[in-house]
Amino acid sequence: MKTRIYIKLFFLMLLLFPKEMWAYQNPVFVASAPEYVEVGTQFRLTLAVVSSEKLQDDEIQYFREPLLKDFEVLMGPVRSSVTTGKMTMPTYQFSYTYVLKAFGTGKFVIPSTSIVVKGKLLRTQQLTIHVVPMGKLPSSSNGSVESKPEAFITMNVSNRSPHINSPVVLECKLYTTAQVDSLANLQQQILLKDFKVKPVSLRGNQWKQETRNGKKYQVIVFRKLLLYPLHAGKLRIGNLSVDAYVRQTDESRVKDPIEEFFKGNRNAGKRVSQRLSCPEIILNVSDTSPVVKKVNTLKFTSVQGYGLYGNVRTVTTGKVTLSFDQNGNMVSNGTNRYIYRGTDRYMIDNVIGPFRITCEGNLRKEVDEKGIEGTIEYEFDSRGRIVRYKYFDGMMPVVCKYVYEGTGKYPSTMESSAGYEDGNDVEICRYTYLEADSQGNWTKRRVKRTWKSTTYGYENEPDKVSTKTEPEFTETRTISYF
């Protein structure tokens, strides 16, 4: 009988992945509404901050009302809060609810909107509403069709054409639009004659948000392995399947507390098991190893891109630590690892990329060779100071601009802007520096932050602009050097 690995035990899942991993460790902002409604009937639009941490009222700020030009607003926004889940792992929801009615039939879009939670800008997904004539709802609906909870898994490897004994990262992800409480009965065949297998710890792993085919999902890595091919040829990583315990519709969507009161919360605590699967992967393994020559010929480094001076190893601000190598390249941003193939080429977690680093004039670029991810850019002035930084939050480009006073080493102002179909958000920070270390890097400063939000007017209507300034606060950081 062939030697093989079968992982079927739920207890193994408990060992690898603590309960807390499945909660919304980072707050998210989610929109929900029926996908189909009849013309002239009322329906609810709910925008909710979902978090595993109880938030204070003053930590949820600057709610930006969505553009609802295609609907009549009968009521709202009505703010409410509700707590769900077990006492050991509660989920907190802070909701803004509208009651709407469509003017006519057709396909309409409710654009993304935003809110600031604990100083971080969050955005909802875009919703599409199909308004149909009376009596023309799809046969599966009862009055209206709510967006169905969806969950699926993916399996990716860092390299499909590796060399013998060179590590390949196998990463398995769960995508969901509903609350998944746990996973069980994971099955996958990996032959020990083909691979040496080393599990990668996922302790502290967190949910993220990704967009696929225009739809936003909550995403988490639930299995990660290092596989070392033991011989050349076509080596198989078997089909992956797992049971996901998903909350029923009433539990997975954002709740209306008034509706829950009259319903008596009859479905509380019910879960539905879904069997999720994805197909096998074939690796083409060769018996030769590449020779990588590491010579740093880049004019600008990531260290400079973050406004740092000297041979920086790490910089910690709050709970986030950035790590660099001796070439000044980023090796970790606290969430992702950067794996280098030479000094001008890297992969993110051996899965995303590869990215090619180039420096032309005063511009450093990090370009995805597959053309999937957006290009990261750092622009410097004649003194080597960072003046513009462009990156991507999902598919959304964000541009940060820095202004200096005279020959100062630190920016006096930073302006970050992100544009959307229906408007844009701008964050403006003004800095006063208090302390610096022996290498010339600041370690303490005061920050005054202002948010400016613009919603474009419909047709001949003027743009709606709102501006709010936070109380001044102090920011500190700790820096280590090689």
Side-chain angles (χ1 to χ4, degrees):
M1 181 180 292
K2 294 182 179 179
T3 306
R4 54 193 177 179
I5 298 176
Y6 279 111
I7 302 179
K8 300 183 179 179
L9 299 178
F10 177 63
F11 300 104
L12 178 58
M13 297 300 296
L14 292 178
L15 274 174
L16 291 178
F17 318 118
K19 285 183 183 178
E20 289 75 14
M21 190 181 86
W22 303 108
Y24 290 95
Q25 293 187 354
N26 291 327
V28 295
F29 196 27
V30 183
S32 64
E35 185 179 357
Y36 290 86
V37 297
E38 290 181 320
V39 66
T41 61
Q42 300 178 15
F43 67 96
R44 289 184 178 87
L45 166 67
T46 305
L47 311 166
V49 177
V50 185
S51 172
S52 63
E53 176 187 1
K54 188 171 184 179
L55 301 171
Q56 302 301 318
D57 287 346
D58 59 1
E59 294 178 317
I60 304 176
Q61 300 176 312
Y62 311 145
F63 168 62
R64 177 176 165 186
E65 293 194 33
L67 187 63
L68 301 172
K69 58 184 177 60
D70 298 313
F71 303 95
E72 180 182 358
V73 179
L74 303 177
M75 186 178 70
V78 176
R79 178 168 175 165
S80 60
S81 63
V82 65
T83 302
T84 62
K86 299 178 180 179
M87 293 299 294
T88 57
M89 193 172 57
T91 298
Y92 301 94
Q93 298 178 0
F94 302 84
S95 304
Y96 297 84
T97 302
Y98 292 84
V99 177
L100 306 178
K101 185 169 69 174
F103 294 115
T105 60
K107 179 181 176 181
F108 304 102
V109 171
I110 296 178
S112 171
T113 189
S114 64
I115 200 168
V116 175
V117 179
K118 299 183 71 172
K120 183 176 180 180
L121 182 70
L122 304 180
R123 295 193 64 85
T124 64
Q125 78 277 23
Q126 177 178 283
L127 294 178
T128 300
I129 309 293
H130 300 268
V131 182
V132 298
M134 293 293 292
K136 297 296 184 180
L137 284 174
S139 58
S140 60
S141 66
N142 292 315
S144 65
V145 177
E146 297 285 351
S147 299
K148 294 182 179 179
E150 182 181 349
F152 62 91
I153 58 175
T154 62
M155 183 168 61
N156 294 290
V157 292
S158 58
N159 187 0
R160 289 178 180 257
S161 300
H163 303 274
I164 295 175
N165 291 323
S166 62
V168 175
V169 179
L170 171 66
E171 188 173 71
C172 306
K173 286 184 176 181
L174 168 68
Y175 288 75
T176 178
T177 60
Q179 181 178 331
V180 174
D181 288 342
S182 61
L183 298 180
N185 302 322
L186 186 149
Q187 291 183 323
Q188 184 176 41
Q189 184 188 65
I190 301 175
L191 300 181
L192 293 180
K193 71 179 183 65
D194 291 339
F195 298 98
K196 176 184 175 182
V197 182
K198 182 180 179 182
V200 177
S201 173
L202 294 176
R203 189 169 297 277
N205 197 21
Q206 295 184 347
W207 289 93
K208 297 180 181 179
Q209 193 174 76
E210 290 185 20
T211 301
R212 290 173 68 101
N213 299 322
K215 189 172 185 178
K216 286 192 176 182
Y217 295 89
Q218 297 305 314
V219 183
I220 197 162
V221 177
F222 66 89
R223 191 182 195 208
K224 197 169 186 178
L225 301 174
L226 280 179
L227 304 178
Y228 295 83
L230 299 179
H231 60 87
K234 292 185 179 297
L235 305 188
R236 174 179 175 271
I237 300 172
N239 299 336
L240 174 68
S241 59
V242 68
D243 289 332
Y245 288 88
V246 183
R247 289 287 174 182
Q248 274 191 327
T249 302
D250 285 348
E251 287 291 308
S252 60
R253 67 184 175 88
V254 177
K255 297 178 180 178
D256 182 332
I258 298 176
E259 180 181 1
E260 289 298 306
F261 174 80
F262 286 106
K263 286 169 55 179
N265 200 14
R266 293 185 294 272
N267 290 324
K270 293 185 180 180
R271 301 186 305 168
V272 176
S273 174
Q274 293 185 18
R275 189 66 176 172
L276 309 178
S277 61
C278 59
E280 67 179 21
I281 294 176
I282 303 297
L283 303 185
N284 296 301
V285 182
S286 61
D287 57 3
T288 58
S289 298
V291 177
V292 178
K293 186 177 180 181
K294 295 186 178 181
V295 178
N296 189 9
T297 59
L298 297 172
K299 180 179 178 182
F300 297 108
T301 67
S302 283
V303 168
Q304 289 174 273
Y306 281 87
L308 295 162
Y309 299 90
N311 202 7
V312 175
R313 180 195 294 268
T314 63
V315 55
T316 301
T317 306
K319 296 181 180 180
V320 178
T321 297
L322 308 180
S323 301
F324 305 89
D325 63 17
Q326 290 186 320
N327 291 316
N329 284 325
M330 174 82 73
V331 295
S332 173
N333 64 0
T335 302
N336 301 315
R337 295 182 305 116
Y338 296 74
I339 313 299
Y340 287 85
R341 302 172 179 178
T343 57
D344 62 351
R345 197 162 177 258
Y346 68 86
M347 296 279 293
I348 298 178
D349 289 326
N350 266 338
V351 175
I352 303 174
F355 292 81
R356 176 73 66 178
I357 306 173
T358 62
C359 291
E360 298 178 3
N362 284 355
L363 189 64
R364 172 187 167 105
K365 292 184 177 181
E366 300 177 11
V367 182
D368 183 3
E369 294 180 359
K370 296 181 180 178
I372 299 174
E373 303 293 329
T375 298
I376 300 170
E377 296 182 0
Y378 303 86
E379 185 177 351
F380 302 86
D381 65 10
S382 59
R383 295 179 178 273
R385 301 176 300 188
I386 182 71
V387 293
R388 184 176 65 89
Y389 171 39
K390 178 182 177 181
Y391 67 96
F392 284 80
D393 183 2
M395 300 298 293
M396 177 185 65
V398 181
V399 178
C400 301
K401 295 182 179 180
Y402 303 88
V403 176
Y404 299 80
E405 294 182 356
T407 59
K409 297 178 67 174
Y410 320 128
S412 58
T413 304
M414 185 279 294
E415 180 177 304
S416 173
S417 61
Y420 317 101
E421 293 181 1
D422 62 320
N424 64 74
D425 293 309
V426 178
E427 174 191 3
I428 302 173
C429 293
R430 294 176 175 82
Y431 305 116
T432 302
Y433 296 91
L434 305 175
E435 297 178 9
D437 64 13
S438 60
Q439 300 289 321
N441 288 305
W442 70 265
T443 55
K444 187 176 183 180
R445 67 184 180 186
R446 288 200 301 270
V447 183
K448 180 174 288 187
R449 180 161 57 193
T450 298
W451 297 94
K452 181 180 179 182
S453 180
T454 301
T455 302
Y456 300 142
Y458 179 61
E459 295 182 347
N460 296 324
E461 296 178 358
D463 294 346
K464 182 179 179 180
V465 180
S466 61
T467 303
K468 296 184 180 180
T469 300
E470 297 178 356
E472 191 174 57
F473 62 93
T474 300
E475 189 174 42
T476 61
R477 64 181 184 179
T478 303
I479 305 172
S480 70
Y481 300 88
F482 287 101

